[in-house]
Amino acid sequence: MTTEANVATKALDQFTPLDADVLKCPHQYNARMRSEAPIYRCPHTGMFFVFDYDTIRRIAGDPETFSNKFGGAMRVSGDVDPRLVEIRNTGYPAVDTMLTEDPPVHRRYRGLVNQAFTARRVATLEGDIENIANALIDVFVDAGRVELVSAFCGPLPLTVIADQLGVPRTDLPLFNAWSDAFVAQLSRMATPDEELAAAKLIVQFQHYFAAKLDERRRDKRDDIISDIVHARLEGERPLDTAESLSIIQQLLVAGNETTTSAIAEGVLLLIQHPEQLAKLRADATLVPNLVEEVLRLSTPTANMWRVCTKDTEVNGTRIPAGSLIQLRYASADRDERVFDSPQAFDVTRRNARANVAFGYGVHMCIGASLARKEMEVAFRVLLERLGDVALDCPEGDLVYPPNVLLRGLAALPIRFAPR
Ligand code: HEM
């Protein structure tokens, strides 16, 4: 069992970067690794872990040597339960598309999805996002207390992307359950029973959206599903159903859990730093920089995989072909060589936007402008409508469920005075 105290003192080979306690609270461990072993081969797993900003950008910027085709590694975990195989056989095959493809094929998918995710579409969403945020706050504002993750941080991005995917509001609970199922699968921490339940939900998701794709093939509307169905790159075929489902799944999972975590962490940081909150209340033009500073400190996609395609050497460390490499984006965002006093929360930080919370290179987040807009609106509306915000539980009760890629608060109970 690793604890925060012995992360600082124990020999590095006595625990792994994927230990649950390190994943829950990685900052002290990451800081130690940046100074002692910025590229680390874990003797227990044979995997490589990269901790410093420059090397992470170098690797993310070289997709030829460091591939995103880690989909297989994420899907296959030792002996696969035959019940799991049986459930999966009733759905569509898992195929690699954007996140788990490499150039030149990656460019083709990205091009198709860019058509559905234009800056024009994001710019037109601000009013809708504001309406959703206000409607969510209306429900709890008079109570003076709320669990903010389930009442606001989760439903806000979920509702925005559901609207964009043409899912009616009445199906939001289903949509939420599917998102949780994908995250459970990604976490690699689920029990066998949880894995079975998640697999059933994922098949249900596939059939739901396969039907929606059929509908939109017949009847084009102004939503992302229609854009995906009808998108063509010059001279190319349209996406098939398995490819379209893979893309919709990525939009749901990549855009939901991450934005939820970023909003929740931002509220927690403001509660913990009243002097920063006072600066924001005095000057609302600081909100966009608040968004960048929150992205830097929260880095919801804390870690991401790459697979080495050929024997190579990085800063003197030999990495054999086929090695699995984890980029620790959350560590890069606290690299003391890039950010002064990197553990400090400073809403006026000059280079906050240099964060790599959205990654770097060809896979850099396709939803970055949407996520930034959602965070900006969320913080602005929360600041307008809630005063004297305080934690409604001891700080030690806050939980970050262990997950090999994503990091975020499970719940955030707060008290406040309606304004
Ligand atoms: C604060 C919120 C978000 C964070 C922190 C985040 C983070 C990331 C990161 C780090 C990557 C790069 C992964 C890599 O290096 O391989 C990525 C890619 C991606 N993100 Fe986001 N994301 C967020 C919101 C969104 C939203 C709102 C959407 C869509 C609705 C989205 C969709 C995607 C997709 C589809 C990819 C894969 C792109 C590709 O491989 O070309 N993300 N995101």
Side-chain angles (χ1 to χ4, degrees), residues 139-165:
V139 174
F140 62 75
V141 70
D142 292 334
R145 62 199 306 180
V146 69
E147 194 293 280
L148 201 69
V149 171
S150 56
F152 184 82
C153 313
L156 178 67
L158 189 80
T159 310
V160 171
I161 195 69
D163 283 356
Q164 290 308 302
L165 289 173

PDB file of all heavy atoms in Angstrom, residues 139-165:
ATOM      1  N   VAL A 139     -32.528  24.813  -9.908  1.00  0.00           N
ATOM      2  CA  VAL A 139     -33.062  23.659  -9.172  1.00  0.00           C
ATOM      3  C   VAL A 139     -32.579  23.648  -7.725  1.00  0.00           C
ATOM      4  O   VAL A 139     -33.312  23.272  -6.824  1.00  0.00           O
ATOM      5  CB  VAL A 139     -32.647  22.331  -9.881  1.00  0.00           C
ATOM      6  CG1 VAL A 139     -33.064  21.121  -9.080  1.00  0.00           C
ATOM      7  CG2 VAL A 139     -33.213  22.283 -11.290  1.00  0.00           C
ATOM      8  N   PHE A 140     -31.337  24.111  -7.464  1.00  0.00           N
ATOM      9  CA  PHE A 140     -30.810  23.955  -6.096  1.00  0.00           C
ATOM     10  C   PHE A 140     -30.530  25.269  -5.388  1.00  0.00           C
ATOM     11  O   PHE A 140     -30.193  25.284  -4.212  1.00  0.00           O
ATOM     12  CB  PHE A 140     -29.551  23.072  -6.107  1.00  0.00           C
ATOM     13  CG  PHE A 140     -28.379  23.615  -6.902  1.00  0.00           C
ATOM     14  CD1 PHE A 140     -27.605  24.656  -6.396  1.00  0.00           C
ATOM     15  CD2 PHE A 140     -28.034  23.085  -8.145  1.00  0.00           C
ATOM     16  CE1 PHE A 140     -26.524  25.154  -7.108  1.00  0.00           C
ATOM     17  CE2 PHE A 140     -26.943  23.582  -8.861  1.00  0.00           C
ATOM     18  CZ  PHE A 140     -26.191  24.623  -8.346  1.00  0.00           C
ATOM     19  N   VAL A 141     -30.685  26.402  -6.079  1.00  0.00           N
ATOM     20  CA  VAL A 141     -30.175  27.661  -5.530  1.00  0.00           C
ATOM     21  C   VAL A 141     -30.830  28.027  -4.187  1.00  0.00           C
ATOM     22  O   VAL A 141     -30.172  28.540  -3.287  1.00  0.00           O
ATOM     23  CB  VAL A 141     -30.286  28.806  -6.562  1.00  0.00           C
ATOM     24  CG1 VAL A 141     -31.730  29.206  -6.802  1.00  0.00           C
ATOM     25  CG2 VAL A 141     -29.432  29.988  -6.153  1.00  0.00           C
ATOM     26  N   ASP A 142     -32.128  27.731  -4.014  1.00  0.00           N
ATOM     27  CA  ASP A 142     -32.802  28.149  -2.784  1.00  0.00           C
ATOM     28  C   ASP A 142     -32.396  27.309  -1.580  1.00  0.00           C
ATOM     29  O   ASP A 142     -32.591  27.720  -0.438  1.00  0.00           O
ATOM     30  CB  ASP A 142     -34.328  28.084  -2.968  1.00  0.00           C
ATOM     31  CG  ASP A 142     -34.787  29.145  -3.962  1.00  0.00           C
ATOM     32  OD1 ASP A 142     -34.079  30.166  -4.079  1.00  0.00           O
ATOM     33  OD2 ASP A 142     -35.826  28.942  -4.627  1.00  0.00           O
ATOM     34  N   ALA A 143     -31.844  26.117  -1.824  1.00  0.00           N
ATOM     35  CA  ALA A 143     -31.493  25.227  -0.715  1.00  0.00           C
ATOM     36  C   ALA A 143     -30.237  25.699   0.019  1.00  0.00           C
ATOM     37  O   ALA A 143     -30.013  25.362   1.178  1.00  0.00           O
ATOM     38  CB  ALA A 143     -31.290  23.802  -1.231  1.00  0.00           C
ATOM     39  N   GLY A 144     -29.383  26.487  -0.659  1.00  0.00           N
ATOM     40  CA  GLY A 144     -28.170  26.989  -0.004  1.00  0.00           C
ATOM     41  C   GLY A 144     -27.077  25.943   0.152  1.00  0.00           C
ATOM     42  O   GLY A 144     -26.016  26.231   0.698  1.00  0.00           O
ATOM     43  N   ARG A 145     -27.318  24.750  -0.295  1.00  0.00           N
ATOM     44  CA  ARG A 145     -26.276  23.710  -0.288  1.00  0.00           C
ATOM     45  C   ARG A 145     -26.572  22.709  -1.396  1.00  0.00           C
ATOM     46  O   ARG A 145     -27.726  22.511  -1.783  1.00  0.00           O
ATOM     47  CB  ARG A 145     -26.208  23.008   1.076  1.00  0.00           C
ATOM     48  CG  ARG A 145     -27.481  22.279   1.458  1.00  0.00           C
ATOM     49  CD  ARG A 145     -27.556  21.998   2.928  1.00  0.00           C
ATOM     50  NE  ARG A 145     -26.363  21.287   3.387  1.00  0.00           N
ATOM     51  CZ  ARG A 145     -26.169  20.923   4.645  1.00  0.00           C
ATOM     52  NH1 ARG A 145     -27.088  21.217   5.559  1.00  0.00           N
ATOM     53  NH2 ARG A 145     -25.089  20.284   4.996  1.00  0.00           N
ATOM     54  N   VAL A 146     -25.503  22.058  -1.910  1.00  0.00           N
ATOM     55  CA  VAL A 146     -25.697  21.121  -3.023  1.00  0.00           C
ATOM     56  C   VAL A 146     -24.448  20.246  -3.183  1.00  0.00           C
ATOM     57  O   VAL A 146     -23.351  20.652  -2.776  1.00  0.00           O
ATOM     58  CB  VAL A 146     -25.976  21.912  -4.335  1.00  0.00           C
ATOM     59  CG1 VAL A 146     -24.731  22.670  -4.806  1.00  0.00           C
ATOM     60  CG2 VAL A 146     -26.476  21.010  -5.448  1.00  0.00           C
ATOM     61  N   GLU A 147     -24.648  19.077  -3.762  1.00  0.00           N
ATOM     62  CA  GLU A 147     -23.481  18.278  -4.199  1.00  0.00           C
ATOM     63  C   GLU A 147     -23.281  18.671  -5.655  1.00  0.00           C
ATOM     64  O   GLU A 147     -24.043  18.259  -6.535  1.00  0.00           O
ATOM     65  CB  GLU A 147     -23.792  16.780  -4.022  1.00  0.00           C
ATOM     66  CG  GLU A 147     -22.556  15.902  -4.122  1.00  0.00           C
ATOM     67  CD  GLU A 147     -21.951  15.896  -5.532  1.00  0.00           C
ATOM     68  OE1 GLU A 147     -22.475  15.164  -6.381  1.00  0.00           O
ATOM     69  OE2 GLU A 147     -20.976  16.638  -5.781  1.00  0.00           O
ATOM     70  N   LEU A 148     -22.244  19.472  -5.902  1.00  0.00           N
ATOM     71  CA  LEU A 148     -22.129  20.185  -7.175  1.00  0.00           C
ATOM     72  C   LEU A 148     -21.794  19.285  -8.374  1.00  0.00           C
ATOM     73  O   LEU A 148     -22.181  19.590  -9.492  1.00  0.00           O
ATOM     74  CB  LEU A 148     -21.078  21.300  -7.051  1.00  0.00           C
ATOM     75  CG  LEU A 148     -21.193  22.424  -8.074  1.00  0.00           C
ATOM     76  CD1 LEU A 148     -22.447  23.266  -7.847  1.00  0.00           C
ATOM     77  CD2 LEU A 148     -19.966  23.338  -8.041  1.00  0.00           C
ATOM     78  N   VAL A 149     -21.069  18.178  -8.159  1.00  0.00           N
ATOM     79  CA  VAL A 149     -20.690  17.338  -9.311  1.00  0.00           C
ATOM     80  C   VAL A 149     -21.940  16.740  -9.955  1.00  0.00           C
ATOM     81  O   VAL A 149     -22.140  16.826 -11.173  1.00  0.00           O
ATOM     82  CB  VAL A 149     -19.685  16.225  -8.903  1.00  0.00           C
ATOM     83  CG1 VAL A 149     -19.468  15.241 -10.050  1.00  0.00           C
ATOM     84  CG2 VAL A 149     -18.349  16.853  -8.494  1.00  0.00           C
ATOM     85  N   SER A 150     -22.831  16.156  -9.120  1.00  0.00           N
ATOM     86  CA  SER A 150     -24.015  15.508  -9.711  1.00  0.00           C
ATOM     87  C   SER A 150     -25.084  16.523 -10.124  1.00  0.00           C
ATOM     88  O   SER A 150     -25.878  16.255 -11.021  1.00  0.00           O
ATOM     89  CB  SER A 150     -24.607  14.481  -8.741  1.00  0.00           C
ATOM     90  OG  SER A 150     -24.897  15.106  -7.520  1.00  0.00           O
ATOM     91  N   ALA A 151     -25.099  17.719  -9.482  1.00  0.00           N
ATOM     92  CA  ALA A 151     -26.154  18.675  -9.791  1.00  0.00           C
ATOM     93  C   ALA A 151     -25.772  19.660 -10.890  1.00  0.00           C
ATOM     94  O   ALA A 151     -26.648  20.263 -11.516  1.00  0.00           O
ATOM     95  CB  ALA A 151     -26.528  19.454  -8.524  1.00  0.00           C
ATOM     96  N   PHE A 152     -24.478  19.841 -11.128  1.00  0.00           N
ATOM     97  CA  PHE A 152     -24.080  20.894 -12.068  1.00  0.00           C
ATOM     98  C   PHE A 152     -22.911  20.500 -12.974  1.00  0.00           C
ATOM     99  O   PHE A 152     -23.046  20.490 -14.202  1.00  0.00           O
ATOM    100  CB  PHE A 152     -23.726  22.175 -11.289  1.00  0.00           C
ATOM    101  CG  PHE A 152     -23.389  23.350 -12.161  1.00  0.00           C
ATOM    102  CD1 PHE A 152     -24.400  24.130 -12.712  1.00  0.00           C
ATOM    103  CD2 PHE A 152     -22.066  23.671 -12.446  1.00  0.00           C
ATOM    104  CE1 PHE A 152     -24.084  25.206 -13.538  1.00  0.00           C
ATOM    105  CE2 PHE A 152     -21.740  24.736 -13.263  1.00  0.00           C
ATOM    106  CZ  PHE A 152     -22.754  25.517 -13.804  1.00  0.00           C
ATOM    107  N   CYS A 153     -21.759  20.157 -12.353  1.00  0.00           N
ATOM    108  CA  CYS A 153     -20.533  19.940 -13.169  1.00  0.00           C
ATOM    109  C   CYS A 153     -20.729  18.787 -14.151  1.00  0.00           C
ATOM    110  O   CYS A 153     -20.204  18.832 -15.269  1.00  0.00           O
ATOM    111  CB  CYS A 153     -19.327  19.647 -12.281  1.00  0.00           C
ATOM    112  SG  CYS A 153     -19.138  20.749 -10.900  1.00  0.00           S
ATOM    113  N   GLY A 154     -21.459  17.736 -13.743  1.00  0.00           N
ATOM    114  CA  GLY A 154     -21.711  16.598 -14.627  1.00  0.00           C
ATOM    115  C   GLY A 154     -22.770  16.914 -15.679  1.00  0.00           C
ATOM    116  O   GLY A 154     -22.525  16.797 -16.892  1.00  0.00           O
ATOM    117  N   PRO A 155     -23.975  17.335 -15.232  1.00  0.00           N
ATOM    118  CA  PRO A 155     -25.055  17.559 -16.208  1.00  0.00           C
ATOM    119  C   PRO A 155     -24.775  18.643 -17.239  1.00  0.00           C
ATOM    120  O   PRO A 155     -25.309  18.587 -18.344  1.00  0.00           O
ATOM    121  CB  PRO A 155     -26.254  17.973 -15.331  1.00  0.00           C
ATOM    122  CG  PRO A 155     -25.926  17.539 -13.956  1.00  0.00           C
ATOM    123  CD  PRO A 155     -24.427  17.415 -13.845  1.00  0.00           C
ATOM    124  N   LEU A 156     -23.937  19.659 -16.918  1.00  0.00           N
ATOM    125  CA  LEU A 156     -23.732  20.748 -17.891  1.00  0.00           C
ATOM    126  C   LEU A 156     -23.092  20.227 -19.195  1.00  0.00           C
ATOM    127  O   LEU A 156     -23.733  20.312 -20.262  1.00  0.00           O
ATOM    128  CB  LEU A 156     -22.908  21.887 -17.260  1.00  0.00           C
ATOM    129  CG  LEU A 156     -22.589  23.043 -18.204  1.00  0.00           C
ATOM    130  CD1 LEU A 156     -23.845  23.808 -18.611  1.00  0.00           C
ATOM    131  CD2 LEU A 156     -21.597  24.012 -17.579  1.00  0.00           C
ATOM    132  N   PRO A 157     -21.876  19.651 -19.154  1.00  0.00           N
ATOM    133  CA  PRO A 157     -21.320  19.159 -20.436  1.00  0.00           C
ATOM    134  C   PRO A 157     -22.124  18.013 -21.030  1.00  0.00           C
ATOM    135  O   PRO A 157     -22.218  17.879 -22.256  1.00  0.00           O
ATOM    136  CB  PRO A 157     -19.900  18.701 -20.071  1.00  0.00           C
ATOM    137  CG  PRO A 157     -19.855  18.603 -18.595  1.00  0.00           C
ATOM    138  CD  PRO A 157     -20.902  19.509 -18.049  1.00  0.00           C
ATOM    139  N   LEU A 158     -22.723  17.194 -20.157  1.00  0.00           N
ATOM    140  CA  LEU A 158     -23.508  16.058 -20.656  1.00  0.00           C
ATOM    141  C   LEU A 158     -24.693  16.563 -21.496  1.00  0.00           C
ATOM    142  O   LEU A 158     -24.971  16.061 -22.585  1.00  0.00           O
ATOM    143  CB  LEU A 158     -24.017  15.223 -19.470  1.00  0.00           C
ATOM    144  CG  LEU A 158     -24.666  13.903 -19.840  1.00  0.00           C
ATOM    145  CD1 LEU A 158     -23.600  12.857 -20.119  1.00  0.00           C
ATOM    146  CD2 LEU A 158     -25.583  13.397 -18.729  1.00  0.00           C
ATOM    147  N   THR A 159     -25.387  17.598 -20.978  1.00  0.00           N
ATOM    148  CA  THR A 159     -26.556  18.122 -21.690  1.00  0.00           C
ATOM    149  C   THR A 159     -26.130  18.801 -22.995  1.00  0.00           C
ATOM    150  O   THR A 159     -26.781  18.641 -24.027  1.00  0.00           O
ATOM    151  CB  THR A 159     -27.326  19.134 -20.796  1.00  0.00           C
ATOM    152  OG1 THR A 159     -27.529  18.524 -19.524  1.00  0.00           O
ATOM    153  CG2 THR A 159     -28.664  19.506 -21.394  1.00  0.00           C
ATOM    154  N   VAL A 160     -24.996  19.536 -22.934  1.00  0.00           N
ATOM    155  CA  VAL A 160     -24.532  20.225 -24.148  1.00  0.00           C
ATOM    156  C   VAL A 160     -24.230  19.198 -25.245  1.00  0.00           C
ATOM    157  O   VAL A 160     -24.693  19.324 -26.383  1.00  0.00           O
ATOM    158  CB  VAL A 160     -23.274  21.080 -23.847  1.00  0.00           C
ATOM    159  CG1 VAL A 160     -22.669  21.620 -25.144  1.00  0.00           C
ATOM    160  CG2 VAL A 160     -23.599  22.227 -22.900  1.00  0.00           C
ATOM    161  N   ILE A 161     -23.487  18.142 -24.909  1.00  0.00           N
ATOM    162  CA  ILE A 161     -23.099  17.189 -25.963  1.00  0.00           C
ATOM    163  C   ILE A 161     -24.311  16.340 -26.383  1.00  0.00           C
ATOM    164  O   ILE A 161     -24.456  15.997 -27.550  1.00  0.00           O
ATOM    165  CB  ILE A 161     -21.865  16.336 -25.557  1.00  0.00           C
ATOM    166  CG1 ILE A 161     -21.235  15.632 -26.765  1.00  0.00           C
ATOM    167  CG2 ILE A 161     -22.175  15.313 -24.505  1.00  0.00           C
ATOM    168  CD1 ILE A 161     -20.555  16.516 -27.739  1.00  0.00           C
ATOM    169  N   ALA A 162     -25.214  16.055 -25.424  1.00  0.00           N
ATOM    170  CA  ALA A 162     -26.438  15.309 -25.785  1.00  0.00           C
ATOM    171  C   ALA A 162     -27.247  16.116 -26.797  1.00  0.00           C
ATOM    172  O   ALA A 162     -27.727  15.575 -27.802  1.00  0.00           O
ATOM    173  CB  ALA A 162     -27.264  15.013 -24.539  1.00  0.00           C
ATOM    174  N   ASP A 163     -27.395  17.426 -26.532  1.00  0.00           N
ATOM    175  CA  ASP A 163     -28.112  18.292 -27.483  1.00  0.00           C
ATOM    176  C   ASP A 163     -27.444  18.229 -28.853  1.00  0.00           C
ATOM    177  O   ASP A 163     -28.097  18.118 -29.891  1.00  0.00           O
ATOM    178  CB  ASP A 163     -28.103  19.755 -27.019  1.00  0.00           C
ATOM    179  CG  ASP A 163     -29.108  20.028 -25.902  1.00  0.00           C
ATOM    180  OD1 ASP A 163     -29.859  19.094 -25.544  1.00  0.00           O
ATOM    181  OD2 ASP A 163     -29.111  21.166 -25.385  1.00  0.00           O
ATOM    182  N   GLN A 164     -26.108  18.308 -28.849  1.00  0.00           N
ATOM    183  CA  GLN A 164     -25.364  18.319 -30.111  1.00  0.00           C
ATOM    184  C   GLN A 164     -25.470  16.993 -30.857  1.00  0.00           C
ATOM    185  O   GLN A 164     -25.387  16.944 -32.062  1.00  0.00           O
ATOM    186  CB  GLN A 164     -23.896  18.661 -29.864  1.00  0.00           C
ATOM    187  CG  GLN A 164     -23.672  20.094 -29.440  1.00  0.00           C
ATOM    188  CD  GLN A 164     -24.341  21.061 -30.399  1.00  0.00           C
ATOM    189  OE1 GLN A 164     -24.058  21.057 -31.577  1.00  0.00           O
ATOM    190  NE2 GLN A 164     -25.282  21.859 -29.898  1.00  0.00           N
ATOM    191  N   LEU A 165     -25.631  15.903 -30.081  1.00  0.00           N
ATOM    192  CA  LEU A 165     -25.757  14.587 -30.720  1.00  0.00           C
ATOM    193  C   LEU A 165     -27.226  14.264 -31.023  1.00  0.00           C
ATOM    194  O   LEU A 165     -27.543  13.167 -31.463  1.00  0.00           O
ATOM    195  CB  LEU A 165     -25.144  13.503 -29.827  1.00  0.00           C
ATOM    196  CG  LEU A 165     -23.607  13.529 -29.720  1.00  0.00           C
ATOM    197  CD1 LEU A 165     -23.117  12.533 -28.688  1.00  0.00           C
ATOM    198  CD2 LEU A 165     -22.942  13.241 -31.065  1.00  0.00           C
TER     199      LEU A 165
END
